[in-house]
């Protein structure tokens, strides 16, 4: 989606320039800035106008880019009856230019996953229009926690086409590289000095998925999934927090007067029993362990086989929010240890 920049040169940049000058350049280009902010004890992505609200030192935000590009409870169209005629009005996406500022690599790589699904033929018109109007500034991670596993799913660094600028902290300073022609233009506007290529931090890798993918693939029918699924409350919190889940349901609402209504698209977790309910009330995946393991195989096996990347970026939101502290990568380790 972003015109890629083949220039791989790095440039020095300091925090003051990032927070104030870069912020202002992006705003002058007509973008609304969405950045990580702190509210009480949580970090939230939200639209800001004050650069002092930007938080650089964080691990993950509660919400994610999907909330802005593929929102929940989206009205697709509304209708109204006037006498004997019906008028249908399709909801139009606002042509807002959004800049995701100081998001982490796993967050940017979620764009790659969303693109694979929502821009596949036929493309989702609502996502496509929003996606075409974004700018992405990635801030590399300086720390991780027990929920992070980006390196396990090859998502430690932002992929080509997912960012305009990639900023990497080095000691008490920063360096930046352009990922698009637009990013290179911004670097030139800031008049930055070239630097050497930085050493990218590496974090603990619990397990390398590529090393065990074949083993995992052949364990689909293993009874261990029933045991592991017993830990799951089937609440759907993991899927609601995921930046790459795209499954939805369609809800039609009609006013009591029967003269107007709307059709909405809502996020719908595949972990719910009714997700695979079809006409006549038959449920395809009736048992909890079937739905539990389906999420793992969709993210880590089926998606990888179809698109060449994992459908998970290892951001750790699912385990961080899970009331039973279920860690995706730990479940995989348990399953393959049974092989």
């Amino acid at each position: 989606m972003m015109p890629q920049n083949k220039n791989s040169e790095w440039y020095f940049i300091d925090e003051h320039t990032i927070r104030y000058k870069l912020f202002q350049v992006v705003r002058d280009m007509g973008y609304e800035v969405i950045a990580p902010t702190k509210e009480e004890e949580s970090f939230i992505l939200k639209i800001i106008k004050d650069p002092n609200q930007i938080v650089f030192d964080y691990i993950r935000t509660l919400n994610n880019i999907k909330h802005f590009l593929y929102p929940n409870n989206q009205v697709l169209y509304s209708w109204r009856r006037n006498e004997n005629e019906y008028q249908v009005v399709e909801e139009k996406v606002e042509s807002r230019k959004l800049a995701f500022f100081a998001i982490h690599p796993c967050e940017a790589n979620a764009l790659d996953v969303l693109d694979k699904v929502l821009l596949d033929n036929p493309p989702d018109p609502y996502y496509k229009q929003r996606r075409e109007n974004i700018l992405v500034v990635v801030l590399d991670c300086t720390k991780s926690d027990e929920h992070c596993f980006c390196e396990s799913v090859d998502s430690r660094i932002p992929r080509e086409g997912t960012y305009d600028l990639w900023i990497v902290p080095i000691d008490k300073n920063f360096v930046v590289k352009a990922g698009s022609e637009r990013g290179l233009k911004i670097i030139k506007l800031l008049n930055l000095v070239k630097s050497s290529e930085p050493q990218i931090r590496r974090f603990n890798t619990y397990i390398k998925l590529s090393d065990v993918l074949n083993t995992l693939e052949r364990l689909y029918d293993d009874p261990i999934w029933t045991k592991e699924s017993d830990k799951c409350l089937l609440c759907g919190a993991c899927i609601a927090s995921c930046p790459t889940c795209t499954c939805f349901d369609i809800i039609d609402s009609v006013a009591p007067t029967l003269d107007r209504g709307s059709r909405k698209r809502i996020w719908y977790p595949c972990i719910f029993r009714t997700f695979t309910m079809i006409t006549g009330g038959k449920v395809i995946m009736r048992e909890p362990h079937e739905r539990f393991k389906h999420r793992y195989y969709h993210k880590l096996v089926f998606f990888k086989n179809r698109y060449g990347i994992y459908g998970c970026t290892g951001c750790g939101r699912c385990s961080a929010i899970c009331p039973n502290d279920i860690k995706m990568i730990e479940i995989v380790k348990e399953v393959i240890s049974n092989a």
Side-chain angles (χ1 to χ4, degrees):
M1 293 294 296
M2 299 172 185
Q4 294 180 11
N5 167 47
K6 300 304 180 182
N7 189 329
S8 60
E9 294 177 313
W10 292 84
Y11 299 81
F12 285 110
I13 190 170
D14 57 62
E15 183 175 339
H16 184 275
T17 300
I18 297 170
R19 185 180 296 276
Y20 299 105
K21 293 182 181 179
L22 175 56
F23 176 86
Q24 192 57 50
V25 166
V26 171
R27 293 263 294 171
D28 290 344
M29 293 171 68
Y31 290 93
E32 296 180 77
V33 175
I34 298 170
T37 63
K38 188 165 187 181
E39 295 187 6
E40 297 180 354
E41 298 303 312
S42 300
F43 297 101
I44 307 288
L45 281 177
K46 70 177 187 179
I47 296 176
I48 63 168
K49 294 183 179 179
D50 181 1
N52 291 308
Q53 291 181 272
I54 303 171
V55 175
F56 289 161
D57 187 24
Y58 74 101
I59 293 179
R60 70 180 58 82
T61 55
L62 279 179
N63 59 344
N64 56 69
I65 57 173
K66 190 178 73 176
H67 287 79
F68 301 92
L69 299 178
Y70 188 71
N72 189 25
N73 206 32
Q74 178 183 356
V75 176
L76 303 180
Y77 66 79
S78 57
W79 60 269
R80 180 180 293 273
R81 186 183 66 192
N82 295 316
E83 297 181 353
N84 293 324
E85 294 184 353
Y86 287 87
Q87 181 182 14
V88 177
V89 179
E90 183 179 357
E91 296 298 311
K92 296 190 180 298
V93 177
E94 296 180 56
S95 297
R96 300 168 66 189
K97 296 174 67 176
L98 301 176
F100 293 98
F101 199 98
I103 64 173
H104 285 331
C106 60
E107 192 85 32
N109 286 334
L111 283 171
D112 196 14
V113 179
L114 294 175
D115 286 354
K116 293 286 191 294
V117 177
L118 299 175
L119 297 181
D120 202 355
N121 193 33
D124 182 297
Y126 306 99
Y127 175 80
K128 185 174 185 291
Q129 185 167 340
R130 293 188 181 97
R131 180 69 170 88
E132 289 173 345
N133 287 311
I134 71 169
L135 181 145
V136 179
V137 178
V138 174
L139 177 65
D140 205 54
C141 304
T142 58
K143 58 186 178 182
S144 64
D145 64 12
E146 71 274 18
H147 303 294
C148 297
F149 61 99
C150 61
E151 292 198 33
S152 295
V153 289
D154 303 332
S155 205
R156 174 62 188 89
I157 63 175
R159 303 183 190 120
E160 288 187 4
T162 64
Y163 67 95
D164 294 282
L165 292 171
W166 177 18
I167 299 171
V168 178
I170 50 168
D171 298 324
K172 295 182 179 180
N173 217 319
F174 300 83
V175 292
V176 61
K177 181 175 80 167
S180 69
E181 292 301 325
R182 182 170 45 192
L184 187 58
K185 178 182 177 181
I186 293 173
I187 286 176
K188 290 179 179 178
L189 285 172
L190 294 173
N191 197 28
L192 302 179
V193 177
K194 291 182 181 179
S195 81
S196 57
E197 184 173 350
Q199 183 71 34
I200 304 300
R201 290 178 178 82
R202 294 293 178 182
F203 302 114
N204 292 331
T205 302
Y206 296 100
I207 188 174
K208 194 72 171 173
L209 257 295
S210 58
D211 295 338
V212 299
L213 196 59
N214 290 336
T215 303
L216 182 64
E217 192 165 6
R218 62 182 173 82
L219 293 174
Y220 186 84
D221 294 318
D222 197 289
I224 193 173
W225 284 108
T226 302
K227 173 190 170 185
E228 296 299 329
S229 69
D230 286 342
K231 306 171 185 176
C232 181
L233 300 178
L234 303 176
C235 66
C238 55
I239 296 173
S241 67
C242 179
T244 63
C245 282
T246 57
C247 291
F248 63 88
D249 195 5
I250 297 293
I251 302 295
D252 288 313
S253 301
V254 181
T257 53
L258 306 181
D259 63 343
R260 64 186 183 278
S262 64
R263 170 165 287 189
K264 296 181 180 179
R265 176 168 66 185
I266 64 170
W267 298 344
Y268 202 60
C270 60
I271 204 76
F272 288 177
R273 185 174 180 272
T274 53
F275 181 81
T276 59
M277 181 181 289
I278 60 176
T279 303
K282 180 177 175 60
V283 178
I284 305 301
M285 293 187 184
R286 180 176 294 274
E287 299 302 321
H289 76 271
E290 294 180 289
R291 304 193 299 277
F292 179 82
K293 73 178 178 182
H294 173 77
R295 172 172 168 261
Y296 283 76
Y297 278 86
H298 168 69
K299 296 279 188 188
L300 307 178
V301 178
F302 304 152
F303 203 95
K304 176 73 169 176
N305 289 342
R306 178 168 181 178
Y307 294 111
I309 62 172
Y310 297 103
C312 169
T313 63
C315 69
R317 286 186 177 91
C318 55
S319 61
I321 203 170
C322 178
N324 262 3
D325 195 32
I326 297 175
K327 294 181 174 62
M328 194 173 200
I329 208 68
E330 292 296 330
I331 294 292
V332 172
K333 286 174 66 175
E334 285 294 321
V335 170
I336 62 172
S337 68
N338 195 54

